[in-house]
Structure formats: structure tokens, C-alpha cells
Amino acid sequence: MSKTSPEARIKALRAEIDRHNRLYYVDAAPEISDREFDRLMDELISLEKAHPEFDSAGSPSRKVGGAPIDGFVTVVHRLPMLSIDNTYQPSEVREFDTRLRKLIPGSPVAYSVEPKIDGVAISLTYEDGVFTRGLTRGDGEKGDDVTANLRTVRDLPLRLLCDNPPPLLEVRGEVYMRRDDFTRLNDSRRADKLEPFANPRNSTAGSLKLLDPAQCARRRLRLFAYGLGSVEGIRFLTHAESLERFKEWGLPVNGHIRLVHSVDEVLEIIAEWDERRASLPYDTDGLVIKLDDLAARERAGATSKAPRWVVAYKFAAEQAVTRLKSIDIQVGKTGALTPVANLEPVHLSGTTVSRATLHNADYISQKDIRVGDMVVVEKAGEIIPYISRAAHDRRDGTEQPFVFPSQCPVCGSAVARDADGAVWRCQGRECVAVLKRRLRSFGARAAMDVEGLGEEMVEQLVDSGLVKHLPDLYRLGAGQLESLDRMGETSSRNLLAGIEASKGRGLARLLGGLGIRHVGETVAEAVAGAFGDLDSLMAADEGTLASVDGIGPERAASLRGWLSDPENQKMLLELRELGVRVTADGPKRQLVAAIAGKTFVVTGTLARFDRLGIERAIKDLGGKVSGSVSKKTDFVLAGENAGSKLDKARELGVKVINEAEFVELAGL
Ligand code: IVH
């Protein structure tokens, strides 16, 4: 009998170690001792060292950590990693359910109710079943490439247990640290005279940013997979189905996920959870409630920040008690007056808080909150502090009830209460606070993107009286600008060029920039797309507006109300006369025959485009972009340092082009 070849032995060892990893971390049913396990691993590592030709990214030996790295590269997510809207009361979860059902009439409604793991969100890419890239969430659009560290995560499979893996599978999930591992880590940090971590979430985030994967390996990070990103070559009908498949493939899925068929059952789980969460070996900060049906999710859609098919229910936040020193009134871009508390600084979940919102006038009077009171501060979503109540039993009689102003603190105009709510608004057409905020959001990148119109410039333009109404921006001339303080010729020229360039942004970005209540980026785009130009939009009644996908009655009423106001109409007409484009964007370019309908895979670094830029260019010209090479790929566009995808293209005989050839094909 011939001796087993090194290649065969390496293969066998990898399979054996994968199996034991799974038995240990996923099934919690180990079959061998740690020593036996280490022996297998040592044998694999020394064989791999002797035979580098059999190196593989999927080898479990990578779990002990590869060589240190220099830093983290930022990578654009294939699909943005959105966040989730939070709720804090069972009634808000009911409202979510009602809202969602209206958006998807006729679709089945079942919810997956899941623990909200308090760790770090990540995206894991598996190509042909092998883990090839892991990114942090970052800003949602792009994150850091932390692949080397993620390879060391205990229960993260480096290779999916699957004979026929999809060419591309992006798994979303949470990396976390168990409380016992966290305590052990902090004990050893204290022993080494190092600052201990504040909580398991911070230590997870810190561990993922270590430059030495071997050190990360010792942190004992773990994973829960809870969703899909971009996938190719496989289709799922429901979320539950995808989780089942994850489990089969060896991806760890939380064992407390429940599928239910009514909001009442969701609320029952919420009621039980406070107790149950304390018994878990890891931290959770709430529950996530997700629509199960994936086609219905598509119909429900998303705002620019969060999908409409998911909501988080957050457990009661940490609290702190401090003194309320005074109350300021802030005037927002829609004229809303918001009371803000000035507090004796107090420490709360990791930050020092000295200001907190009091929401509105009714909130202050209903809760009988007075200046001088000791108040309870909490953090909503652990970010924005708010005052939940006053400690009435700690009063000494010196506290003063707050008198809500009857005039705008900025312009002195009368204030009036909204017909539909508790908000008071400045009625002044010329309130400079409102105008300043409005100009800022009008000029923001996501809106009209007016280069040069920063905070200080807005202050100057408004305070000098050069801009009294929004359209005045388009009436500015070089002579006027140069009369302003600290305004040189160059900055004046830049601002004017920025203003000029903003004229062409189109109807969606104009509407999104006007500060209309309930009309953000996503709604503005939907409306602009549906009506095409300002005249058709002006002619639409409330019902027609409400029938646009993703709008609904509340937004339609707000928009119709705004459009019907003669002052606003005048402003829109002025803007149009001043040359601001009030039509929607059509397709960005003519489709290009050489590219339309063709599938591209981009690999390596390009000179003229970043990843997002090249993907947009291909899509604008009618092409499709895919993450992995298969026989169906029409072109592989290869830049500098192209790697395995280029090899695969050659292997399959897929046409490979370089950047110059692409530019030529595209006629760019
Ligand atoms: S779903 C668009 N499910 O909570 C929906 N998120 O902003 C994507 N999180 O940091 C998220 N447990 O990483 C989902 N079972 C779970 C989760 C979960 C924890 C985190 C997530 C993100 C935050 C939500």
C-alpha cells in the first residue's frame, strides 16, 4: 500500500479539524480532547510549512492568526449596510406592524424575532464556499477589511460545509465576545497594568482592529450570522430558510431566534425577554424583529437610513441622575422649537452628558420637569441623551416651572402649534435661524451639494443680509461677496462656481434639500421619479401623491400642504427662473451596445475609477456587475494587482480587458 501523499494528508487533516471545530464551537459536543486537537493542528501547520504549494485561504490553520499586517484597507460594501430603526415601547412595535402591513398589502406577514447581539456588525464574503473577505460596517457604505482578524474568530467557518456552494455569498452577522471571555481578558489586562475594556462590545471592536491576527486569535471572538448581503447563484424565499441553510453550512446561528405569525406573539416574546437575556453568556441590548418573506421585504423598501421591514426593540437603557441647570430653545430648519436641557455634567454609558433633549413643550409640562430639578437622563439608542423624568421627591422648593416662549427666541415672530402634534414652530417667514439651517441642508452633499457653502459662509451670507430668502443664493454676484469679511477673490469665485454647478442637480435633490417635513432623500427621489418635472408634481393632488410607492398618506399630506403654500410656490418659480433645473434625472447615459446586458467582474486597482465609480459607470451604461467569475461572465476588467479572479477568468476562457480597453468600449 502506498504512503499517503502530503497533499492528501493535508486535505484529510483540514477536513478533520474543521469537523472538530464545528463539534466544539457550534454543536457544543466535542469528541476529542484539546490536546488531541492541538496535535492535529500542529501536524497540519508543519505539513503546510513544508509544502507551501498546497496553501489555501480556507485552511483551519489560519485560525491561529497569520502574519501581522500594516493597516486596514477601506472597501466599498457590495450592498450598503443599513442601520435599524429603534423602538423602546411595545406600542411602537405595534405601530411598526401596522405601518408595515399597509406597505405590503396581500403579502404574508411572519416575523423572525432575534436577540440583538451587542457586538460589532460585519460582512463576510464567501466565494465558491471559501471565506475570502470580511469587512466592518464602517459608515455603512464602506468598511475596513479585517479579514485576517476574522479568520481567527472561533466559530467562523473558513470553508462552507457544502458540496455545491454558490459562487458568491455575503453573510451579515455580529462578532461578539462572551462575558466569561471578556472577564478573563480584563483580568489579564489588569495584571499587565493595561487599561481594562469598558464592555464586551468595546473589546470586540478593539480586537478586530489589532494589527496582529495572532493576538486577535487569543481574544476568543465569536460569531452569529443573521442575514444575507449580496448573493449570486442561489435564491432564498424566506429569511428562516436562509438561516436554516446557514446552519447546514456550518455558520453559527443564534439558538433563540423564533418565527412567529402575529405582532401579539412578538410582544409576548418581548415581555419574556428581560429575564431570559440575563441568563445568556453574552450581552444583548434588545430584540430585532424582521419580516420573514424576502419578496415582501423588497416591496416594503427602505429609507436612506434603514429598511422598513425591520425594527429593533431596545431594552431599557442605562440611567443617570443629575441637575437640570437651564433650558435653551433651538430653532430647526422647519422652524420647530426644541427645548434642550443644560445639565450638570454626568457620566452615562461611556460618555459625559451635559445637554439632553426635552422633546417639546407638552413633554415638559406632562412630566412636570422644572429648572433646578434633579432629573433622570437616559440614552435613546445609546446615543442621544434625553430626560426621562424629574425626581420630584428630591425637590427643595427652589425649582422653577419652565415657561415655553410665545415668540421665536431668534426672530421674535409668533410661534404656533402644529395642527397634528405637540411641536411649536416659528411662524416668521424670515427667521434667520430657520433660514440658516435651511441653507445648510439645501447646500449639503446629499441635497444640492453647493461647494463652498459651509457653516461659516451661511452665517455671513445671512447676517450680512445678502441672502434673505433661499433664491437669493442664485442672485449673488462677485462684487457683493467680496464685501464680506475674510472673503478673498478665490473663495468668492469658488462659491459662485459651486452655486452655479448646483443648478443642474435635478428635481429629486432640490426637493430633498428644501426642508419639507417628512420629505427626505428617499421620498424626494420617489416623487421626482414618479412625476418627472415640477409642473406635473404641482398638478398632483394628495391622493395621487399618496399612491407613489413608498410615500403613503402622511408624507403626501405634508408635501401637498407645502406645495400649496403660495410663498413656497413663489420660491420654486423663482428658483426655476434663476436657472435651477426642476426636472428629474432620466437614465444617466445612453446605453452602450458593447456593455448593455453584459456581466462584468472587476478585479484589482484601477487608475481612473474607485470601486463604486466603476460599478456605477458599468450600470449606467446598462451593464451588470458581479462579484465572482463564472462561465456567464462576459468580461473581467482587470486592474493592477489583479489576483485569483484573473486566474479564474483565464481558466474559464472569459474575456479579460484592461481599463483602457474598457474606456474605449464604453466610449468614455
Ligand atoms: S439585522 C438592516 N439582526 O444591531 C438590518 N442586526 O443597527 C441589518 N444586530 O449593528 C441588521 N443582532 O449588527 C440584525 N439579529 C440581529 C442583530 C443585529 C445585532 C446589530 C447590527 C447592527 C445593529 C442594528
Side-chain angles (χ1 to χ4, degrees):
M1 206 175 76
S2 70
K3 203 172 157 283
T4 325
S5 72
E7 183 179 12
R9 180 65 189 150
I10 287 177
K11 259 197 167 153
L13 279 167
R14 284 176 182 163
E16 185 70 359
I17 293 173
D18 278 342
R19 192 171 76 86
H20 289 301
N21 264 331
R22 187 171 143 80
L23 285 168
Y24 190 94
Y25 291 111
V26 183
D27 303 339
E31 283 178 3
I32 56 172
S33 71
D34 288 0
R35 268 189 75 162
E36 284 168 286
F37 181 87
D38 289 345
R39 215 172 289 143
L40 292 173
M41 185 66 98
D42 288 344
E43 185 187 348
L44 175 63
I45 291 173
S46 58
L47 269 176
E48 284 180 345
K49 238 188 215 148
H51 298 278
E53 68 274 25
F54 305 130
D55 186 36
S56 157
S59 172
S61 61
R62 301 281 174 107
K63 290 251 172 232
V64 293
I69 55 171
D70 295 335
F72 300 100
V73 179
T74 305
V75 179
V76 176
H77 293 295
R78 287 173 204 271
L79 292 174
M81 289 182 79
L82 298 178
S83 59
I84 318 184
D85 285 334
N86 287 322
T87 58
Y88 302 90
Q89 305 290 338
S91 61
E92 294 175 89
V93 175
R94 235 179 235 292
E95 287 162 19
F96 158 78
D97 173 65
T98 313
R99 214 165 40 234
L100 181 57
R101 283 174 195 271
K102 279 198 198 132
L103 286 170
I104 52 163
S107 289
V109 176
Y111 292 116
S112 180
V113 185
E114 319 184 345
K116 188 168 184 306
I117 314 298
D118 202 4
V120 173
I122 38 99
S123 140
L124 307 170
T125 298
Y126 287 87
E127 289 175 278
D128 298 322
V130 177
F131 173 58
T132 51
R133 190 155 78 184
L135 305 177
T136 60
R137 176 170 183 270
D139 62 4
E141 288 290 329
K142 47 193 178 337
D144 283 332
D145 185 333
V146 290
T147 312
N149 283 340
L150 284 172
R151 281 195 216 285
T152 73
V153 168
R154 296 285 166 124
D155 45 4
L156 182 153
L158 298 177
R159 185 183 286 282
L160 299 177
L161 291 170
C162 165
D163 291 334
N164 201 357
L168 173 74
L169 176 79
E170 187 197 346
V171 176
R172 301 272 170 92
E174 198 86 353
V175 172
Y176 68 99
M177 190 179 277
R178 282 169 51 141
R179 278 197 282 266
D180 53 352
D181 289 326
F182 168 73
T183 311
R184 187 189 49 88
L185 170 65
N186 267 356
D187 286 347
S188 90
R189 286 178 73 84
R190 279 190 209 97
D192 294 341
K193 304 257 172 313
L194 291 170
E195 183 74 20
F197 286 108
N199 51 47
R201 171 162 36 91
N202 286 359
S203 63
T204 304
S207 304
L208 285 178
K209 291 297 165 64
L210 288 167
L211 292 174
D212 179 2
Q215 206 184 338
C216 184
R218 292 193 286 274
R219 295 285 175 87
R220 305 190 191 211
L221 299 179
R222 290 165 192 261
L223 167 75
F224 280 126
Y226 56 58
L228 289 167
S230 167
V231 290
E232 278 167 28
I234 191 162
R235 247 176 69 104
F236 299 100
L237 295 177
T238 64
H239 175 67
E241 183 196 351
S242 67
L243 295 184
E244 275 313 310
R245 201 61 67 84
F246 284 0
K247 283 191 238 171
E248 281 168 34
W249 288 339
L251 284 157
V253 172
N254 188 280
H256 298 276
I257 297 179
R258 300 252 316 264
L259 187 68
V260 299
H261 292 86
S262 70
V263 71
D264 289 323
E265 289 169 272
V266 174
L267 296 179
E268 276 167 32
I269 299 178
I270 287 179
E272 293 162 13
W273 253 89
D274 240 354
E275 217 169 295
R276 193 174 312 156
R277 65 189 281 239
S279 65
L280 297 177
Y282 44 84
D283 283 356
T284 55
D285 58 343
L287 289 165
V288 183
I289 300 138
K290 302 172 181 173
L291 187 64
D292 186 46
D293 188 277
L294 301 183
R297 285 188 182 181
E298 290 276 323
R299 291 182 66 198
T303 66
S304 50
K305 294 192 202 78
R308 296 203 175 95
W309 47 260
V310 58
V311 81
Y313 173 83
K314 302 270 283 194
F315 301 128
E318 231 187 283
Q319 300 181 335
V321 178
T322 188
R323 190 170 304 281
L324 170 60
K325 295 195 297 188
S326 61
I327 298 176
D328 290 340
I329 298 287
Q330 275 183 358
V331 186
K333 68 169 187 274
T334 57
L337 269 49
T338 307
V340 179
N342 289 311
L343 304 167
E344 210 77 79
V346 64
H347 210 65
L348 180 60
S349 357
T351 57
T352 303
V353 177
S354 52
R355 281 167 73 76
T357 179
L358 282 159
H359 304 295
N360 54 54
D362 285 355
Y363 190 82
I364 300 178
S365 53
Q366 276 157 13
K367 301 236 161 184
D368 185 18
I369 296 171
R370 302 184 185 180
V371 174
D373 265 336
M374 292 304 287
V375 290
V376 178
V377 193
E378 296 185 13
K379 277 190 187 174
E382 281 157 36
I383 305 169
I384 307 156
Y386 70 99
I387 291 181
S388 60
R389 64 187 177 86
H392 293 149
D393 52 341
R394 293 180 64 175
R395 283 189 176 156
D396 62 11
T398 58
E399 298 78 12
Q400 296 294 319
F402 179 66
V403 184
F404 206 82
S406 54
Q407 291 180 323
C408 170
V410 177
C411 71
S413 301
V415 298
R417 190 190 267 271
D418 274 0
D420 60 345
V423 177
W424 289 81
R425 273 175 220 282
C426 167
Q427 299 300 298
R429 291 273 175 196
E430 288 168 23
C431 179
V432 293
V434 176
L435 179 60
K436 283 177 183 171
R437 294 222 171 203
R438 200 171 270 179
L439 276 168
R440 289 279 290 153
S441 53
F442 185 79
R445 260 196 90 185
M448 296 294 270
D449 194 8
V450 184
E451 182 114 29
L453 191 65
E455 187 167 357
E456 207 183 316
M457 180 62 73
V458 165
E459 291 286 320
Q460 287 207 53
L461 290 174
V462 175
D463 291 343
S464 64
L466 283 180
V467 174
K468 292 205 175 70
H469 306 276
L470 216 145
D472 292 342
L473 196 61
Y474 294 98
R475 299 195 173 96
L476 291 171
Q480 289 166 306
L481 286 181
E482 276 157 29
S483 70
L484 294 178
D485 272 359
R486 279 166 289 148
M487 185 73 165
E489 202 183 315
T490 324
S491 23
S492 147
R493 207 175 325 114
N494 286 347
L495 176 62
L496 289 175
I499 293 173
E500 188 58 34
S502 76
K503 287 182 179 172
R505 306 276 182 243
L507 185 59
R509 292 177 55 184
L510 174 65
L511 287 174
L514 288 170
I516 307 170
R517 285 182 68 207
H518 305 302
V519 181
E521 243 173 275
T522 316
V523 172
E525 249 167 50
V527 171
F531 296 98
D533 61 47
L534 185 60
D535 290 333
S536 318
L537 173 60
M538 293 298 257
D541 60 17
E542 198 173 316
T544 315
L545 287 172
S547 68
V548 175
D549 252 0
I551 305 296
E554 192 184 16
R555 297 186 180 96
S558 171
L559 178 57
R560 189 59 260 171
W562 193 93
L563 292 170
S564 303
D565 180 318
E567 292 279 338
N568 294 334
Q569 291 177 354
K570 191 167 147 249
M571 173 168 76
L572 287 172
L573 296 183
E574 279 180 44
L575 286 170
R576 169 153 67 186
E577 268 161 33
L578 288 160
V580 174
R581 182 158 73 87
V582 292
T583 52
D585 287 341
K588 295 237 165 36
R589 276 173 164 275
Q590 292 293 314
L591 301 187
V592 167
I595 291 183
K598 301 284 192 311
T599 301
F600 285 76
V601 171
V602 186
T603 177
T605 316
L606 305 179
R608 198 170 135 181
F609 304 91
D610 62 9
R611 214 18 93 97
L612 196 63
I614 187 69
E615 291 187 358
R616 274 199 188 139
I618 294 170
K619 286 181 195 156
D620 282 352
L621 299 168
K624 284 181 279 193
V625 181
S626 158
S628 59
V629 184
S630 72
K631 288 205 196 87
K632 289 195 215 110
T633 312
D634 294 296
F635 294 103
V636 166
L637 168 51
E640 291 277 308
N641 301 323
S644 61
K645 290 182 188 169
L646 182 56
D647 300 340
K648 180 108 189 239
R650 291 197 175 122
E651 196 182 300
L652 294 176
V654 172
K655 188 162 174 55
V656 178
I657 55 172
N658 64 25
E659 191 172 359
E661 286 165 321
F662 172 78
V663 169
E664 168 93 33
L665 262 186
L668 291 173

